[in-house]
Amino acid sequence: KVIAWRNERVGEYNDLIRATYGNRVIDMDAEFVARGGTPAYFPDGVHPNCPGYTMVAEIVRDALVQRGFAQVVPGATIPACP
């Protein structure tokens, strides 16, 4: 499931986290793939740049809403990158 261009250690950590916490975590790798994330979002192979962090914010927002921990605020947006 690990994005092929990501650091291979990330996959090992993700597997450990899934085994420990199950569905209580957000599978960021799977979400990045599903939403069309690209290597350009991770210039050093691990840490996201501004567009990558924007996608992180969207993924977390959507997961919190889906799980009932937050509500969508009409008109609210995630700030654009400079």
Side-chain angles (χ1 to χ4, degrees), residues 12-34:
E12 295 172 23
Y13 292 124
N14 286 346
D15 290 343
L16 178 62
I17 292 166
R18 280 187 210 98
T20 304
Y21 297 103
N23 65 357
R24 295 181 295 180
V25 297
I26 301 167
D27 188 337
M28 297 302 285
D29 278 344
E31 287 295 325
F32 269 101
V33 170

Side-chain angles (χ1 to χ4, degrees), residues 31-51:
E31 287 295 325
F32 269 101
V33 170
R35 295 172 189 236
T38 70
Y41 289 167
F42 298 89
D44 68 357
V46 177
H47 302 97
N49 57 16
C50 189

Side-chain angles (χ1 to χ4, degrees), residues 48 58 69:
E58 292 168 349
F69 294 114

